[in-house]
Structure formats: C-alpha cells, structure tokens
Amino acid sequence: MKTKFSWRAFISFGLTWGILVILVSGVILYVAPPGRYAHWVNWELAGLSKEGWQAIHTLFSLGFIVLSVFHLFAVNWKAFVSYLKSKTTKGFSKKRELIFSIVAVLVFFFGTVFSLPPFQTVMDFGESATNSWEKTEERAPVPHAELLTLTELAHQLDIESVDEITRKLDSHKIVYKDTHTQTLQEIGEANNSTPLEIYEIIEKKPANHGQGMGVGRKTIEDFAKELNKSTDELLQMLEKNNIDAKPTETLRTIGENNGLPPRDVYKILSE
C-alpha cells in the first residue's frame, strides 16, 4: 500500500540539502581567487568555474528561501498563527531573548557596515585567502586582459603591428578567427588553452632576441649614424635584396612590409 506523499517531509529534506550546499559553496566562494585571475587561468574546483559556484550558491539560496516560505505558510501556518495569538493574549514571556536577538542583529549589521573588528577581520582573512592564488609571474598585463582582442593587446604591449602577434600564434598553430573582435578568452577556449598560455606565447621573446635587442624600433637613419654609413647606402643594400624601405621607417615596419622579421633586415644592414 502506497503512503501519501508528505510535503512536510519533502520540504524538510529540501531545506537540509539546501543549507549544506549553501554552506559548501559559500566557503568555496569565500576563498576563491578574484575574478581577474580566475578568468586568466580558467580556474576550476570540482569541475566548476567561479561563475559556476556563484550560480549554485545563488540558486540554492533562492530555493532555500522558497522552501522556507512554503514551510511557514503551507505546512506550519496554522501552528504559527496559533502561536502568535497565544503570545499576543498572554504577552511575550521571552522578552529578554527577544531584546538580545535584536541587539545581536544590530551589532552584526553595523559592525559590518562600519568595518569594525572582528567583522572586518573575517573579511580581511577572506581577501587574503583570495589574493593568495595570484602569482606575480601569472599576473595579467592589465585587469581582465582575457577580454582584450589581439588588436587591443598589441596596443597595450606597445607593439607597432598586430602582425607580430599573429606570426607567433601561427608558429604555435594557434587557431583564431580575427584580430579585432575575438578575445584572448575565446581564442583560449577554441584551442583548449587558457588566456594566460596564449599571452605567454605572444609575450615570449625569440631565442635569438639577445643580439640587436630593440633594433626593430630603429629607423634606417638611426643605423646610418651607428654604422657611419649614409642613408642612401643602406637603402641601396636593401634594394639589392629586393626590400623596399624609406629612411624614416623602422626595421619592424620594413620587415612587415616585406614579409621578413626585423632581425633579417638587421643582418643585411650589418653586412
């Protein structure tokens, strides 16, 4: 024989599971890394991102409130009204407890609002635990750099042309759609990688970058002075190698216009 479904038991079980999930998700969010770092390294715990844990905490909190309302109005409403009537008739017999509860709520409220100890101490500990995730070597160049496009990142890194970035991505077989709308986060997701790993590829210097450090920013006129040669002489050397250039152009610009890395242009000029 089937027993009648008990809404009272259902709501009680739901409230129990709900408070457990809210407790666990609350602790995780209390010590989780800041959003800028979580997005930069694709932080996850138990297969869930920070946004995933936030969603669980929010929705279970909402569910807990709904069940609590049902618990009061649908299950225990008669008992609750009867209790209020009896207390109104006899007067509150627990006045001291009532006053103490109000005082405790006010202390917690104003202690939190005005950042008083020990309430601020609890918040400071959470902030410290949150910031402990972020390592200096993994720090993004700017907050929420994962939302930058390749064009915007080139501007942030003071790179004259985004082509320098795309060449590095191409050499590492990184797939991307365009440089103006696709963000580092989207590129990372498309390549099963993190924005940090994409950025490390972009920022990494070539192995032979030691010689002629910064030569890409120098113009033909700058090299003419350094090498004690005339500008025309250097332009003729480039022309012999089928390289078009102007005296005021940098080696990086010349290289990009002729499909060469700046170091190759530098080698020709140094011969």
mmCIF file with all atom_site columns, all heavy atoms in Angstrom, residues 231-255:
data_model
loop_
_atom_site.group_PDB
_atom_site.id
_atom_site.type_symbol
_atom_site.label_atom_id
_atom_site.label_alt_id
_atom_site.label_comp_id
_atom_site.label_asym_id
_atom_site.label_entity_id
_atom_site.label_seq_id
_atom_site.pdbx_PDB_ins_code
_atom_site.Cartn_x
_atom_site.Cartn_y
_atom_site.Cartn_z
_atom_site.occupancy
_atom_site.B_iso_or_equiv
_atom_site.pdbx_formal_charge
_atom_site.auth_seq_id
_atom_site.auth_comp_id
_atom_site.auth_asym_id
_atom_site.auth_atom_id
_atom_site.pdbx_PDB_model_num
ATOM 1   N N   . THR A 1 231 ? 72.571 57.157 -45.440 1.00 0.00 ? 231 THR A N   1
ATOM 2   C CA  . THR A 1 231 ? 71.239 56.559 -45.549 1.00 0.00 ? 231 THR A CA  1
ATOM 3   C C   . THR A 1 231 ? 71.032 55.932 -46.928 1.00 0.00 ? 231 THR A C   1
ATOM 4   O O   . THR A 1 231 ? 70.478 54.837 -47.048 1.00 0.00 ? 231 THR A O   1
ATOM 5   C CB  . THR A 1 231 ? 70.155 57.627 -45.290 1.00 0.00 ? 231 THR A CB  1
ATOM 6   O OG1 . THR A 1 231 ? 70.362 58.216 -44.003 1.00 0.00 ? 231 THR A OG1 1
ATOM 7   C CG2 . THR A 1 231 ? 68.766 57.025 -45.343 1.00 0.00 ? 231 THR A CG2 1
ATOM 8   N N   . ASP A 1 232 ? 71.491 56.612 -47.965 1.00 0.00 ? 232 ASP A N   1
ATOM 9   C CA  . ASP A 1 232 ? 71.339 56.092 -49.328 1.00 0.00 ? 232 ASP A CA  1
ATOM 10  C C   . ASP A 1 232 ? 72.057 54.766 -49.499 1.00 0.00 ? 232 ASP A C   1
ATOM 11  O O   . ASP A 1 232 ? 71.579 53.866 -50.198 1.00 0.00 ? 232 ASP A O   1
ATOM 12  C CB  . ASP A 1 232 ? 71.865 57.103 -50.349 1.00 0.00 ? 232 ASP A CB  1
ATOM 13  C CG  . ASP A 1 232 ? 70.994 58.362 -50.416 1.00 0.00 ? 232 ASP A CG  1
ATOM 14  O OD1 . ASP A 1 232 ? 69.812 58.262 -50.037 1.00 0.00 ? 232 ASP A OD1 1
ATOM 15  O OD2 . ASP A 1 232 ? 71.503 59.419 -50.825 1.00 0.00 ? 232 ASP A OD2 1
ATOM 16  N N   . GLU A 1 233 ? 73.229 54.650 -48.878 1.00 0.00 ? 233 GLU A N   1
ATOM 17  C CA  . GLU A 1 233 ? 73.998 53.411 -48.984 1.00 0.00 ? 233 GLU A CA  1
ATOM 18  C C   . GLU A 1 233 ? 73.232 52.241 -48.380 1.00 0.00 ? 233 GLU A C   1
ATOM 19  O O   . GLU A 1 233 ? 73.195 51.139 -48.952 1.00 0.00 ? 233 GLU A O   1
ATOM 20  C CB  . GLU A 1 233 ? 75.346 53.584 -48.283 1.00 0.00 ? 233 GLU A CB  1
ATOM 21  C CG  . GLU A 1 233 ? 76.281 52.379 -48.442 1.00 0.00 ? 233 GLU A CG  1
ATOM 22  C CD  . GLU A 1 233 ? 77.616 52.585 -47.751 1.00 0.00 ? 233 GLU A CD  1
ATOM 23  O OE1 . GLU A 1 233 ? 77.847 53.711 -47.240 1.00 0.00 ? 233 GLU A OE1 1
ATOM 24  O OE2 . GLU A 1 233 ? 78.411 51.633 -47.723 1.00 0.00 ? 233 GLU A OE2 1
ATOM 25  N N   . LEU A 1 234 ? 72.604 52.474 -47.238 1.00 0.00 ? 234 LEU A N   1
ATOM 26  C CA  . LEU A 1 234 ? 71.837 51.403 -46.587 1.00 0.00 ? 234 LEU A CA  1
ATOM 27  C C   . LEU A 1 234 ? 70.589 51.058 -47.395 1.00 0.00 ? 234 LEU A C   1
ATOM 28  O O   . LEU A 1 234 ? 70.231 49.881 -47.531 1.00 0.00 ? 234 LEU A O   1
ATOM 29  C CB  . LEU A 1 234 ? 71.433 51.827 -45.173 1.00 0.00 ? 234 LEU A CB  1
ATOM 30  C CG  . LEU A 1 234 ? 72.584 52.034 -44.178 1.00 0.00 ? 234 LEU A CG  1
ATOM 31  C CD1 . LEU A 1 234 ? 72.034 52.425 -42.812 1.00 0.00 ? 234 LEU A CD1 1
ATOM 32  C CD2 . LEU A 1 234 ? 73.439 50.768 -44.056 1.00 0.00 ? 234 LEU A CD2 1
ATOM 33  N N   . LEU A 1 235 ? 69.952 52.063 -47.973 1.00 0.00 ? 235 LEU A N   1
ATOM 34  C CA  . LEU A 1 235 ? 68.772 51.808 -48.788 1.00 0.00 ? 235 LEU A CA  1
ATOM 35  C C   . LEU A 1 235 ? 69.116 51.002 -50.035 1.00 0.00 ? 235 LEU A C   1
ATOM 36  O O   . LEU A 1 235 ? 68.350 50.147 -50.478 1.00 0.00 ? 235 LEU A O   1
ATOM 37  C CB  . LEU A 1 235 ? 68.111 53.133 -49.190 1.00 0.00 ? 235 LEU A CB  1
ATOM 38  C CG  . LEU A 1 235 ? 67.433 53.923 -48.054 1.00 0.00 ? 235 LEU A CG  1
ATOM 39  C CD1 . LEU A 1 235 ? 66.949 55.273 -48.545 1.00 0.00 ? 235 LEU A CD1 1
ATOM 40  C CD2 . LEU A 1 235 ? 66.271 53.120 -47.479 1.00 0.00 ? 235 LEU A CD2 1
ATOM 41  N N   . GLN A 1 236 ? 70.317 51.271 -50.592 1.00 0.00 ? 236 GLN A N   1
ATOM 42  C CA  . GLN A 1 236 ? 70.776 50.512 -51.768 1.00 0.00 ? 236 GLN A CA  1
ATOM 43  C C   . GLN A 1 236 ? 71.028 49.056 -51.398 1.00 0.00 ? 236 GLN A C   1
ATOM 44  O O   . GLN A 1 236 ? 70.735 48.152 -52.196 1.00 0.00 ? 236 GLN A O   1
ATOM 45  C CB  . GLN A 1 236 ? 72.026 51.153 -52.337 1.00 0.00 ? 236 GLN A CB  1
ATOM 46  C CG  . GLN A 1 236 ? 71.779 52.500 -53.028 1.00 0.00 ? 236 GLN A CG  1
ATOM 47  C CD  . GLN A 1 236 ? 73.058 53.180 -53.461 1.00 0.00 ? 236 GLN A CD  1
ATOM 48  O OE1 . GLN A 1 236 ? 74.151 52.625 -53.328 1.00 0.00 ? 236 GLN A OE1 1
ATOM 49  N NE2 . GLN A 1 236 ? 72.950 54.405 -53.996 1.00 0.00 ? 236 GLN A NE2 1
ATOM 50  N N   . MET A 1 237 ? 71.576 48.820 -50.193 1.00 0.00 ? 237 MET A N   1
ATOM 51  C CA  . MET A 1 237 ? 71.819 47.454 -49.743 1.00 0.00 ? 237 MET A CA  1
ATOM 52  C C   . MET A 1 237 ? 70.502 46.688 -49.638 1.00 0.00 ? 237 MET A C   1
ATOM 53  O O   . MET A 1 237 ? 70.415 45.510 -50.019 1.00 0.00 ? 237 MET A O   1
ATOM 54  C CB  . MET A 1 237 ? 72.528 47.478 -48.379 1.00 0.00 ? 237 MET A CB  1
ATOM 55  C CG  . MET A 1 237 ? 73.947 48.029 -48.429 1.00 0.00 ? 237 MET A CG  1
ATOM 56  S SD  . MET A 1 237 ? 74.665 48.206 -46.770 1.00 0.00 ? 237 MET A SD  1
ATOM 57  C CE  . MET A 1 237 ? 74.691 46.504 -46.226 1.00 0.00 ? 237 MET A CE  1
ATOM 58  N N   . LEU A 1 238 ? 69.477 47.349 -49.125 1.00 0.00 ? 238 LEU A N   1
ATOM 59  C CA  . LEU A 1 238 ? 68.168 46.708 -49.017 1.00 0.00 ? 238 LEU A CA  1
ATOM 60  C C   . LEU A 1 238 ? 67.544 46.491 -50.385 1.00 0.00 ? 238 LEU A C   1
ATOM 61  O O   . LEU A 1 238 ? 66.929 45.448 -50.647 1.00 0.00 ? 238 LEU A O   1
ATOM 62  C CB  . LEU A 1 238 ? 67.234 47.563 -48.140 1.00 0.00 ? 238 LEU A CB  1
ATOM 63  C CG  . LEU A 1 238 ? 67.631 47.713 -46.668 1.00 0.00 ? 238 LEU A CG  1
ATOM 64  C CD1 . LEU A 1 238 ? 66.680 48.655 -45.946 1.00 0.00 ? 238 LEU A CD1 1
ATOM 65  C CD2 . LEU A 1 238 ? 67.651 46.356 -45.975 1.00 0.00 ? 238 LEU A CD2 1
ATOM 66  N N   . GLU A 1 239 ? 67.740 47.449 -51.265 1.00 0.00 ? 239 GLU A N   1
ATOM 67  C CA  . GLU A 1 239 ? 67.173 47.339 -52.601 1.00 0.00 ? 239 GLU A CA  1
ATOM 68  C C   . GLU A 1 239 ? 67.761 46.169 -53.364 1.00 0.00 ? 239 GLU A C   1
ATOM 69  O O   . GLU A 1 239 ? 67.073 45.485 -54.136 1.00 0.00 ? 239 GLU A O   1
ATOM 70  C CB  . GLU A 1 239 ? 67.405 48.648 -53.377 1.00 0.00 ? 239 GLU A CB  1
ATOM 71  C CG  . GLU A 1 239 ? 66.698 48.706 -54.723 1.00 0.00 ? 239 GLU A CG  1
ATOM 72  C CD  . GLU A 1 239 ? 66.902 50.040 -55.415 1.00 0.00 ? 239 GLU A CD  1
ATOM 73  O OE1 . GLU A 1 239 ? 67.507 50.940 -54.804 1.00 0.00 ? 239 GLU A OE1 1
ATOM 74  O OE2 . GLU A 1 239 ? 66.446 50.182 -56.560 1.00 0.00 ? 239 GLU A OE2 1
ATOM 75  N N   . LYS A 1 240 ? 69.074 45.907 -53.174 1.00 0.00 ? 240 LYS A N   1
ATOM 76  C CA  . LYS A 1 240 ? 69.733 44.767 -53.824 1.00 0.00 ? 240 LYS A CA  1
ATOM 77  C C   . LYS A 1 240 ? 69.100 43.446 -53.377 1.00 0.00 ? 240 LYS A C   1
ATOM 78  O O   . LYS A 1 240 ? 69.168 42.447 -54.103 1.00 0.00 ? 240 LYS A O   1
ATOM 79  C CB  . LYS A 1 240 ? 71.219 44.768 -53.498 1.00 0.00 ? 240 LYS A CB  1
ATOM 80  C CG  . LYS A 1 240 ? 71.993 45.886 -54.183 1.00 0.00 ? 240 LYS A CG  1
ATOM 81  C CD  . LYS A 1 240 ? 73.462 45.818 -53.810 1.00 0.00 ? 240 LYS A CD  1
ATOM 82  C CE  . LYS A 1 240 ? 74.250 46.940 -54.487 1.00 0.00 ? 240 LYS A CE  1
ATOM 83  N NZ  . LYS A 1 240 ? 75.685 46.909 -54.100 1.00 0.00 ? 240 LYS A NZ  1
ATOM 84  N N   . ASN A 1 241 ? 68.533 43.460 -52.179 1.00 0.00 ? 241 ASN A N   1
ATOM 85  C CA  . ASN A 1 241 ? 67.885 42.251 -51.666 1.00 0.00 ? 241 ASN A CA  1
ATOM 86  C C   . ASN A 1 241 ? 66.359 42.297 -51.848 1.00 0.00 ? 241 ASN A C   1
ATOM 87  O O   . ASN A 1 241 ? 65.614 41.579 -51.176 1.00 0.00 ? 241 ASN A O   1
ATOM 88  C CB  . ASN A 1 241 ? 68.197 42.094 -50.179 1.00 0.00 ? 241 ASN A CB  1
ATOM 89  C CG  . ASN A 1 241 ? 69.630 41.676 -49.910 1.00 0.00 ? 241 ASN A CG  1
ATOM 90  O OD1 . ASN A 1 241 ? 69.955 40.500 -49.895 1.00 0.00 ? 241 ASN A OD1 1
ATOM 91  N ND2 . ASN A 1 241 ? 70.505 42.674 -49.726 1.00 0.00 ? 241 ASN A ND2 1
ATOM 92  N N   . ASN A 1 242 ? 65.942 43.173 -52.783 1.00 0.00 ? 242 ASN A N   1
ATOM 93  C CA  . ASN A 1 242 ? 64.519 43.300 -53.123 1.00 0.00 ? 242 ASN A CA  1
ATOM 94  C C   . ASN A 1 242 ? 63.663 43.704 -51.918 1.00 0.00 ? 242 ASN A C   1
ATOM 95  O O   . ASN A 1 242 ? 62.545 43.201 -51.717 1.00 0.00 ? 242 ASN A O   1
ATOM 96  C CB  . ASN A 1 242 ? 63.986 41.989 -53.716 1.00 0.00 ? 242 ASN A CB  1
ATOM 97  C CG  . ASN A 1 242 ? 64.686 41.611 -55.001 1.00 0.00 ? 242 ASN A CG  1
ATOM 98  O OD1 . ASN A 1 242 ? 64.924 42.472 -55.861 1.00 0.00 ? 242 ASN A OD1 1
ATOM 99  N ND2 . ASN A 1 242 ? 65.028 40.337 -55.149 1.00 0.00 ? 242 ASN A ND2 1
ATOM 100 N N   . ILE A 1 243 ? 64.221 44.583 -51.124 1.00 0.00 ? 243 ILE A N   1
ATOM 101 C CA  . ILE A 1 243 ? 63.499 45.074 -49.949 1.00 0.00 ? 243 ILE A CA  1
ATOM 102 C C   . ILE A 1 243 ? 63.222 46.558 -50.120 1.00 0.00 ? 243 ILE A C   1
ATOM 103 O O   . ILE A 1 243 ? 64.148 47.357 -50.273 1.00 0.00 ? 243 ILE A O   1
ATOM 104 C CB  . ILE A 1 243 ? 64.311 44.838 -48.658 1.00 0.00 ? 243 ILE A CB  1
ATOM 105 C CG1 . ILE A 1 243 ? 64.521 43.332 -48.441 1.00 0.00 ? 243 ILE A CG1 1
ATOM 106 C CG2 . ILE A 1 243 ? 63.610 45.459 -47.452 1.00 0.00 ? 243 ILE A CG2 1
ATOM 107 C CD1 . ILE A 1 243 ? 65.400 43.009 -47.253 1.00 0.00 ? 243 ILE A CD1 1
ATOM 108 N N   . ASP A 1 244 ? 61.952 46.915 -50.108 1.00 0.00 ? 244 ASP A N   1
ATOM 109 C CA  . ASP A 1 244 ? 61.559 48.315 -50.225 1.00 0.00 ? 244 ASP A CA  1
ATOM 110 C C   . ASP A 1 244 ? 61.587 48.953 -48.831 1.00 0.00 ? 244 ASP A C   1
ATOM 111 O O   . ASP A 1 244 ? 61.087 48.374 -47.857 1.00 0.00 ? 244 ASP A O   1
ATOM 112 C CB  . ASP A 1 244 ? 60.146 48.432 -50.799 1.00 0.00 ? 244 ASP A CB  1
ATOM 113 C CG  . ASP A 1 244 ? 60.090 47.931 -52.241 1.00 0.00 ? 244 ASP A CG  1
ATOM 114 O OD1 . ASP A 1 244 ? 61.084 48.119 -52.955 1.00 0.00 ? 244 ASP A OD1 1
ATOM 115 O OD2 . ASP A 1 244 ? 59.056 47.349 -52.628 1.00 0.00 ? 244 ASP A OD2 1
ATOM 116 N N   . ALA A 1 245 ? 62.152 50.153 -48.753 1.00 0.00 ? 245 ALA A N   1
ATOM 117 C CA  . ALA A 1 245 ? 62.245 50.832 -47.468 1.00 0.00 ? 245 ALA A CA  1
ATOM 118 C C   . ALA A 1 245 ? 62.350 52.335 -47.651 1.00 0.00 ? 245 ALA A C   1
ATOM 119 O O   . ALA A 1 245 ? 62.731 52.827 -48.725 1.00 0.00 ? 245 ALA A O   1
ATOM 120 C CB  . ALA A 1 245 ? 63.447 50.314 -46.689 1.00 0.00 ? 245 ALA A CB  1
ATOM 121 N N   . LYS A 1 246 ? 62.018 53.050 -46.578 1.00 0.00 ? 246 LYS A N   1
ATOM 122 C CA  . LYS A 1 246 ? 62.154 54.500 -46.530 1.00 0.00 ? 246 LYS A CA  1
ATOM 123 C C   . LYS A 1 246 ? 63.054 54.870 -45.356 1.00 0.00 ? 246 LYS A C   1
ATOM 124 O O   . LYS A 1 246 ? 63.101 54.135 -44.358 1.00 0.00 ? 246 LYS A O   1
ATOM 125 C CB  . LYS A 1 246 ? 60.787 55.160 -46.386 1.00 0.00 ? 246 LYS A CB  1
ATOM 126 C CG  . LYS A 1 246 ? 59.861 54.917 -47.572 1.00 0.00 ? 246 LYS A CG  1
ATOM 127 C CD  . LYS A 1 246 ? 58.514 55.573 -47.347 1.00 0.00 ? 246 LYS A CD  1
ATOM 128 C CE  . LYS A 1 246 ? 57.582 55.314 -48.525 1.00 0.00 ? 246 LYS A CE  1
ATOM 129 N NZ  . LYS A 1 246 ? 56.246 55.918 -48.323 1.00 0.00 ? 246 LYS A NZ  1
ATOM 130 N N   . PRO A 1 247 ? 63.765 55.978 -45.417 1.00 0.00 ? 247 PRO A N   1
ATOM 131 C CA  . PRO A 1 247 ? 64.719 56.350 -44.363 1.00 0.00 ? 247 PRO A CA  1
ATOM 132 C C   . PRO A 1 247 ? 64.098 56.462 -42.970 1.00 0.00 ? 247 PRO A C   1
ATOM 133 O O   . PRO A 1 247 ? 64.746 56.163 -41.971 1.00 0.00 ? 247 PRO A O   1
ATOM 134 C CB  . PRO A 1 247 ? 65.247 57.709 -44.837 1.00 0.00 ? 247 PRO A CB  1
ATOM 135 C CG  . PRO A 1 247 ? 65.038 57.710 -46.308 1.00 0.00 ? 247 PRO A CG  1
ATOM 136 C CD  . PRO A 1 247 ? 63.787 56.935 -46.542 1.00 0.00 ? 247 PRO A CD  1
ATOM 137 N N   . THR A 1 248 ? 62.821 56.870 -42.911 1.00 0.00 ? 248 THR A N   1
ATOM 138 C CA  . THR A 1 248 ? 62.193 57.094 -41.595 1.00 0.00 ? 248 THR A CA  1
ATOM 139 C C   . THR A 1 248 ? 61.434 55.875 -41.082 1.00 0.00 ? 248 THR A C   1
ATOM 140 O O   . THR A 1 248 ? 60.896 55.906 -39.969 1.00 0.00 ? 248 THR A O   1
ATOM 141 C CB  . THR A 1 248 ? 61.218 58.279 -41.684 1.00 0.00 ? 248 THR A CB  1
ATOM 142 O OG1 . THR A 1 248 ? 60.253 58.019 -42.711 1.00 0.00 ? 248 THR A OG1 1
ATOM 143 C CG2 . THR A 1 248 ? 61.962 59.572 -41.990 1.00 0.00 ? 248 THR A CG2 1
ATOM 144 N N   . GLU A 1 249 ? 61.406 54.802 -41.855 1.00 0.00 ? 249 GLU A N   1
ATOM 145 C CA  . GLU A 1 249 ? 60.697 53.593 -41.414 1.00 0.00 ? 249 GLU A CA  1
ATOM 146 C C   . GLU A 1 249 ? 61.561 52.793 -40.442 1.00 0.00 ? 249 GLU A C   1
ATOM 147 O O   . GLU A 1 249 ? 62.779 52.707 -40.600 1.00 0.00 ? 249 GLU A O   1
ATOM 148 C CB  . GLU A 1 249 ? 60.343 52.710 -42.613 1.00 0.00 ? 249 GLU A CB  1
ATOM 149 C CG  . GLU A 1 249 ? 59.212 53.269 -43.462 1.00 0.00 ? 249 GLU A CG  1
ATOM 150 C CD  . GLU A 1 249 ? 58.883 52.335 -44.610 1.00 0.00 ? 249 GLU A CD  1
ATOM 151 O OE1 . GLU A 1 249 ? 59.785 51.604 -45.072 1.00 0.00 ? 249 GLU A OE1 1
ATOM 152 O OE2 . GLU A 1 249 ? 57.723 52.357 -45.066 1.00 0.00 ? 249 GLU A OE2 1
ATOM 153 N N   . THR A 1 250 ? 60.904 52.153 -39.456 1.00 0.00 ? 250 THR A N   1
ATOM 154 C CA  . THR A 1 250 ? 61.632 51.293 -38.522 1.00 0.00 ? 250 THR A CA  1
ATOM 155 C C   . THR A 1 250 ? 61.877 49.937 -39.173 1.00 0.00 ? 250 THR A C   1
ATOM 156 O O   . THR A 1 250 ? 61.198 49.563 -40.144 1.00 0.00 ? 250 THR A O   1
ATOM 157 C CB  . THR A 1 250 ? 60.840 51.086 -37.228 1.00 0.00 ? 250 THR A CB  1
ATOM 158 O OG1 . THR A 1 250 ? 59.625 50.390 -37.530 1.00 0.00 ? 250 THR A OG1 1
ATOM 159 C CG2 . THR A 1 250 ? 60.522 52.412 -36.559 1.00 0.00 ? 250 THR A CG2 1
ATOM 160 N N   . LEU A 1 251 ? 62.841 49.189 -38.615 1.00 0.00 ? 251 LEU A N   1
ATOM 161 C CA  . LEU A 1 251 ? 63.122 47.856 -39.150 1.00 0.00 ? 251 LEU A CA  1
ATOM 162 C C   . LEU A 1 251 ? 61.911 46.941 -39.023 1.00 0.00 ? 251 LEU A C   1
ATOM 163 O O   . LEU A 1 251 ? 61.689 46.068 -39.866 1.00 0.00 ? 251 LEU A O   1
ATOM 164 C CB  . LEU A 1 251 ? 64.327 47.249 -38.425 1.00 0.00 ? 251 LEU A CB  1
ATOM 165 C CG  . LEU A 1 251 ? 65.681 47.439 -39.140 1.00 0.00 ? 251 LEU A CG  1
ATOM 166 C CD1 . LEU A 1 251 ? 66.032 48.917 -39.245 1.00 0.00 ? 251 LEU A CD1 1
ATOM 167 C CD2 . LEU A 1 251 ? 66.784 46.683 -38.402 1.00 0.00 ? 251 LEU A CD2 1
ATOM 168 N N   . ARG A 1 252 ? 61.131 47.147 -37.958 1.00 0.00 ? 252 ARG A N   1
ATOM 169 C CA  . ARG A 1 252 ? 59.936 46.321 -37.792 1.00 0.00 ? 252 ARG A CA  1
ATOM 170 C C   . ARG A 1 252 ? 58.945 46.589 -38.926 1.00 0.00 ? 252 ARG A C   1
ATOM 171 O O   . ARG A 1 252 ? 58.378 45.662 -39.506 1.00 0.00 ? 252 ARG A O   1
ATOM 172 C CB  . ARG A 1 252 ? 59.283 46.619 -36.435 1.00 0.00 ? 252 ARG A CB  1
ATOM 173 C CG  . ARG A 1 252 ? 57.971 45.849 -36.214 1.00 0.00 ? 252 ARG A CG  1
ATOM 174 C CD  . ARG A 1 252 ? 57.402 46.129 -34.834 1.00 0.00 ? 252 ARG A CD  1
ATOM 175 N NE  . ARG A 1 252 ? 58.250 45.541 -33.814 1.00 0.00 ? 252 ARG A NE  1
ATOM 176 C CZ  . ARG A 1 252 ? 58.472 46.085 -32.629 1.00 0.00 ? 252 ARG A CZ  1
ATOM 177 N NH1 . ARG A 1 252 ? 57.920 47.249 -32.328 1.00 0.00 ? 252 ARG A NH1 1
ATOM 178 N NH2 . ARG A 1 252 ? 59.240 45.486 -31.740 1.00 0.00 ? 252 ARG A NH2 1
ATOM 179 N N   . THR A 1 253 ? 58.728 47.865 -39.234 1.00 0.00 ? 253 THR A N   1
ATOM 180 C CA  . THR A 1 253 ? 57.804 48.216 -40.311 1.00 0.00 ? 253 THR A CA  1
ATOM 181 C C   . THR A 1 253 ? 58.314 47.705 -41.653 1.00 0.00 ? 253 THR A C   1
ATOM 182 O O   . THR A 1 253 ? 57.548 47.159 -42.466 1.00 0.00 ? 253 THR A O   1
ATOM 183 C CB  . THR A 1 253 ? 57.615 49.742 -40.376 1.00 0.00 ? 253 THR A CB  1
ATOM 184 O OG1 . THR A 1 253 ? 57.109 50.200 -39.115 1.00 0.00 ? 253 THR A OG1 1
ATOM 185 C CG2 . THR A 1 253 ? 56.644 50.127 -41.477 1.00 0.00 ? 253 THR A CG2 1
ATOM 186 N N   . ILE A 1 254 ? 59.609 47.857 -41.879 1.00 0.00 ? 254 ILE A N   1
ATOM 187 C CA  . ILE A 1 254 ? 60.209 47.375 -43.141 1.00 0.00 ? 254 ILE A CA  1
ATOM 188 C C   . ILE A 1 254 ? 60.033 45.868 -43.258 1.00 0.00 ? 254 ILE A C   1
ATOM 189 O O   . ILE A 1 254 ? 59.689 45.342 -44.324 1.00 0.00 ? 254 ILE A O   1
ATOM 190 C CB  . ILE A 1 254 ? 61.706 47.756 -43.208 1.00 0.00 ? 254 ILE A CB  1
ATOM 191 C CG1 . ILE A 1 254 ? 61.857 49.286 -43.263 1.00 0.00 ? 254 ILE A CG1 1
ATOM 192 C CG2 . ILE A 1 254 ? 62.380 47.118 -44.421 1.00 0.00 ? 254 ILE A CG2 1
ATOM 193 C CD1 . ILE A 1 254 ? 63.292 49.758 -43.126 1.00 0.00 ? 254 ILE A CD1 1
ATOM 194 N N   . GLY A 1 255 ? 60.286 45.170 -42.155 1.00 0.00 ? 255 GLY A N   1
ATOM 195 C CA  . GLY A 1 255 ? 60.137 43.719 -42.170 1.00 0.00 ? 255 GLY A CA  1
ATOM 196 C C   . GLY A 1 255 ? 58.709 43.294 -42.467 1.00 0.00 ? 255 GLY A C   1
ATOM 197 O O   . GLY A 1 255 ? 58.471 42.376 -43.255 1.00 0.00 ? 255 GLY A O   1
#
